[in-house]
Amino acid sequence: MNPLFEKLLSATGETLYLVSASLIVGGAAGLLIGLTMYLTRSGNLFANRAVFGILNVIVNIFRPIPFIILLAALQPLTRAVVGTGIGNNAMIFTISIAATFGISRIVEQNLLTVSPGVIEAARSVGASRLRTVFTVLLPEALGPLILGYTFVVVVIVDMSALAGYVGGGGLGNYAITYGFRQFNPAVTWSAVFVVVVIVQIVQFAGNALARKLMRR
């Protein structure tokens, strides 16, 4: 087998690992923060101005920071938590933090699209606040949430490629090391092709699943 093709397969596996691990960690943390922000908004089920205000400020601070700057700024924290500032695990830590704040805002915005009347109807028949959250609010918003997470996966693929330039592995590192630095455009475009295929598969699956849920 061509050595470059073997490296392409290995880089593809590393990218899938980076994206999957970051999505699991960042997706769970982002869902928790976004849901808390929605619930603690004024007039909502667990309205708490202080909690909402603090979370809103934190998200607004971290979300606009460009990933490459966040990557450098979090180096001390990454070294303290992971033990190193380079490598796939260090990149997963940083990507997860970046994804958390992006996802939290997406979750909050999608939950805001749920009709207040649906929640009021559940409360009027005696459903507790927690039961309303898990049996009415989240199911009602599930389709849009899947579309939001699909968008995030594409963003994480982009971040993983950038992380490859500064110490991570994956297709970004492959394209830079064996394509750009060795003046081999075919290698660079092979990485581009794989990234496009991954994004298309994720987008197709996300759209199909969301469409199915929203037709129920």
Side-chain angles (χ1 to χ4, degrees):
M1 184 181 291
N2 187 311
L4 282 176
F5 185 68
E6 288 185 20
K7 293 183 186 301
L8 176 62
L9 292 179
S10 176
T12 302
E14 287 184 331
T15 289
L16 294 176
Y17 168 63
L18 282 165
V19 173
S20 301
S22 301
L23 181 64
I24 291 172
V25 177
L31 177 62
L32 180 61
I33 294 175
L35 180 60
T36 303
M37 289 174 64
Y38 171 80
L39 293 175
T40 55
R41 270 177 170 263
S42 177
N44 277 1
L45 294 171
F46 295 89
N48 187 313
R49 183 176 296 180
V51 173
F52 173 78
I54 292 171
L55 290 177
N56 194 44
V57 169
I58 293 174
V59 171
N60 282 343
I61 289 173
F62 281 94
R63 197 168 66 95
I65 300 176
F67 178 66
I68 190 68
I69 296 176
L70 186 67
L71 197 60
L74 290 179
Q75 273 291 304
L77 180 62
T78 304
R79 292 180 186 280
V81 175
V82 183
T84 176
I86 60 174
N88 288 336
N89 290 336
M91 295 305 114
I92 288 171
F93 178 78
T94 308
I95 294 172
S96 297
I97 290 179
T100 293
F101 295 108
I103 290 172
S104 62
R105 188 61 80 191
I106 288 174
V107 169
E108 182 205 15
Q109 296 300 317
N110 279 313
L111 291 177
L112 286 171
T113 65
V114 176
S115 170
V118 176
I119 297 174
E120 290 172 7
R123 295 287 288 158
S124 68
V125 296
S128 68
R129 289 184 293 182
L130 281 178
R131 186 172 182 181
T132 301
V133 170
F134 290 107
T135 61
V136 177
L137 177 63
L138 290 177
E140 282 290 322
L142 193 54
L145 283 175
I146 288 175
L147 290 177
Y149 272 85
T150 301
F151 171 77
V152 170
V153 172
V154 177
V155 175
I156 292 178
V157 171
D158 290 344
M159 288 193 286
S160 73
L162 189 57
Y165 187 68
V166 288
L171 291 166
N173 177 264
Y174 171 81
I176 294 298
T177 302
Y178 303 104
F180 178 71
R181 290 177 181 161
Q182 297 187 17
F183 305 101
N184 192 339
V187 170
T188 305
W189 279 102
S190 68
V192 171
F193 175 76
V194 175
V195 167
V196 170
V197 169
I198 292 173
V199 168
Q200 292 300 319
I201 291 173
V202 169
Q203 191 68 59
F204 176 79
N207 288 347
L209 184 57
R211 188 164 53 244
K212 182 177 180 181
L213 289 171
M214 287 190 284
R215 283 178 177 172
R216 284 182 177 177

